[in-house]
Amino acid sequence: MPVDIRSSQALRLWHDVSLAVVREHDADLSPRQITVLLTVYLEPPPHTVRGLAEKLGVTKPAITRALDTMGEMRLLSRRRDEKDKRNVIVQRTVEGALYLEKLADLIVAKAKDLPR
C-alpha cells in the first residue's frame, strides 16, 4: 500500500523517529548498522559478511565493525559456515527481532503524529 506524504513530512518523520531512538533506546545505531540489521531481518537468509558488503557497497571490514557492535548488543550473531570455512554467516537473534519490532512500533506512532 503506497504511503502519500510530502517531502517535508518524510523528513519530519525521519527526524522524530531518530530523536526518539536517541532518547529512548539503549541501542543508538548508525545508518550503516541499521541498514545491515534491516537487511538481515527483511531479506531471506543466508547472509554472509561478503554478501552484505557487496549489497551495501562497502568493504568487508566495514561490515565486520558494524557486526562487532551489534554482536555486543546481541542484535545479530555470527558463525563460521561449516560447508565453506571462508564464509561467515550472519544470523538473527531474539534481541534483534525485538529491537526492530519496537522500532517499527515507534515509526508507526510517529507517522500518526505527523501534521497533515
Side-chain angles (χ1 to χ4, degrees):
M1 153 178 68
V3 176
D4 188 25
I5 62 175
R6 295 183 305 280
S7 299
S8 60
Q9 289 174 306
L11 291 174
R12 173 57 57 193
L13 178 58
W14 190 4
H15 170 269
D16 292 351
V17 170
S18 296
L19 181 60
V21 167
V22 167
R23 288 181 174 169
E24 299 170 14
H25 280 71
D26 295 333
D28 181 7
L29 302 178
S30 72
R32 178 175 293 158
Q33 291 166 337
I34 197 70
T35 302
V36 168
L37 187 64
L38 286 168
T39 300
V40 171
Y41 280 85
L42 296 177
E43 297 183 5
H47 299 283
T48 63
V49 170
R50 180 182 302 137
L52 289 168
E54 288 174 14
K55 180 160 192 63
L56 274 65
V58 299
T59 64
K60 289 190 298 183
I63 295 297
T64 298
R65 286 190 300 273
L67 293 173
D68 287 345
T69 300
M70 290 186 289
E72 290 171 9
M73 296 176 182
R74 299 173 57 182
L75 299 176
L76 291 172
S77 66
R78 289 177 277 191
R79 69 170 174 78
R80 207 41 86 185
D81 184 350
E82 292 302 319
K83 296 176 187 168
D84 183 348
K85 300 284 187 192
R86 297 170 298 169
N87 284 331
V88 176
I89 304 292
V90 180
Q91 297 179 298
R92 301 168 181 167
T93 64
V94 171
E95 291 88 346
L98 291 172
Y99 176 85
L100 287 177
E101 185 177 323
K102 289 178 187 176
L103 181 60
D105 290 344
L106 178 62
I107 293 168
V108 169
K110 295 297 179 186
K112 288 179 183 175
D113 293 342
L114 282 176
R116 298 287 169 201

